[in-house]
Amino acid sequence: MPLIFLLSTAIAIFFAVHVVRTGREMYWLFILLVFPFLGSVVYALAIYLPSLRNSAQAHKVKENLIRAVDPGRDVREARERLMDVPSVQNRLKLAQTLLAAGDHAEAEEHFTAMLTGLHADDPDILLGLAEAQLGNGKPAAALDSLTRLRAAHPDYQSAEGHLTYARALDELDRGPEAEREYRALADYYPGVEPLCRLALLLGRTGRQAEGQELFKDVQQRLSRAPSHVRARQKEWLDLARQNLARGGAA
């Protein structure tokens, strides 16, 4: 009995903190503290569980589960929206969804088809086209699209566009230029991908020791980062660890 009492009291206190933090009616505190077990059950069913279902975190978890079970759902829905309403906005959404799904060839077709009339120099379309072209093994074409974007919109800023530019230079074996862009990206890009790509570039050009130092930096940064950051950066953390274990950049 004492253990059950302590557990129910701890749960009631947890819910009481939730009451205060979320600005719920204060009578919940009275219910929870006077009737800790029954009050906790009522509060969980009436307030806490419904709030979890409506939270952004719960929605994200739900979306991730749906994608895992039905990975083609986003593309299918985007196609259906375009069939229902054949607008440029819906075509752009389909192209971006295809790009995210890794279908660079079809994404490139849609981005290219949209570059007409009023949208001939649309920055979002040109950026998407460059990303699709790079993914489709066309780094020179990607550079051309980004050059066209910059000429039409000199003030346009995009971290992803900058990374695409650096990667295109890298794939064209323009190492010094790619290195310069990767280093510039490392100062503001929201992630460690530029650092990892720079480390790989240094390793390929005979500067393995410098590349290893960058991989160590990546591992140290992410080891101190919150768990959700490490989860988002898992691909690059794994890459850093693998290269450090091998003793040289790939």
Side-chain angles (χ1 to χ4, degrees):
M1 286 297 292
L3 180 60
I4 296 176
F5 174 78
L6 289 174
L7 181 60
S8 64
T9 300
I11 294 173
I13 292 172
F14 171 81
F15 285 140
V17 171
H18 186 267
V19 168
V20 175
R21 285 183 174 177
T22 57
R24 303 288 177 181
E25 294 84 350
M26 288 297 104
Y27 62 74
W28 281 112
L29 291 178
F30 174 80
I31 294 173
L32 288 165
L33 296 178
V34 176
F35 309 103
F37 179 76
L38 182 59
S40 295
V41 172
V42 174
Y43 187 82
L45 294 175
I47 303 295
Y48 188 71
L49 293 178
S51 72
L52 283 183
R53 286 200 298 271
N54 295 327
S55 70
Q57 183 178 5
H59 180 71
K60 184 176 180 180
V61 170
K62 177 183 175 182
E63 287 296 313
N64 289 339
L65 287 173
I66 291 173
R67 288 192 184 99
V69 175
D70 185 7
R73 174 174 173 261
D74 290 346
V75 171
R76 187 171 63 252
E77 290 182 348
R79 287 191 197 282
E80 291 172 355
R81 284 194 294 270
L82 180 60
M83 290 179 63
D84 293 339
V85 182
S87 64
V88 172
Q89 182 179 1
N90 282 344
R91 183 180 284 264
L92 177 59
K93 180 62 177 177
L94 173 58
Q96 291 171 334
T97 305
L98 288 164
L99 189 63
D103 191 340
H104 301 106
E106 187 179 351
E108 182 181 352
E109 293 176 6
H110 286 288
F111 284 122
T112 301
M114 286 183 282
L115 289 173
T116 60
L118 295 174
H119 303 282
D121 292 314
D122 184 285
D124 293 331
I125 297 174
L126 283 169
L127 177 56
L129 175 60
E131 293 175 347
Q133 289 168 327
L134 183 64
N136 213 17
K138 303 176 182 178
L143 279 184
D144 288 343
S145 295
L146 291 171
T147 300
R148 178 176 168 184
L149 190 163
R150 178 53 59 89
H153 305 278
D155 296 326
Y156 185 81
Q157 299 292 326
S158 167
E160 292 302 328
H162 193 175
L163 180 60
T164 300
Y165 181 70
R167 290 179 57 199
L169 291 171
D170 195 353
E171 292 190 20
L172 290 169
D173 293 324
R174 293 165 60 175
E177 295 169 88
E179 178 180 346
R180 183 178 65 247
E181 301 304 329
Y182 284 142
R183 290 191 185 279
L185 274 159
D187 291 334
Y188 76 95
Y189 189 84
V192 297
E193 182 177 351
L195 279 176
C196 286
R197 291 192 180 278
L198 175 57
L200 292 172
L201 171 61
L202 293 173
R204 291 195 304 271
T205 54
R207 297 157 66 185
Q208 285 86 356
E210 292 179 64
Q212 286 292 87
E213 287 302 313
L214 286 179
F215 280 129
K216 288 179 184 176
D217 184 27
V218 167
Q219 183 172 253
Q220 289 170 359
R221 287 189 191 191
L222 293 180
S223 68
R224 297 190 298 267
S227 58
H228 68 276
V229 173
R230 290 198 301 273
R232 286 202 306 270
Q233 299 290 301
K234 184 178 185 302
E235 175 186 358
W236 306 107
L237 178 57
D238 289 346
L239 179 69
R241 286 172 172 167
Q242 290 163 10
N243 278 272
L244 288 170
R246 286 198 297 266

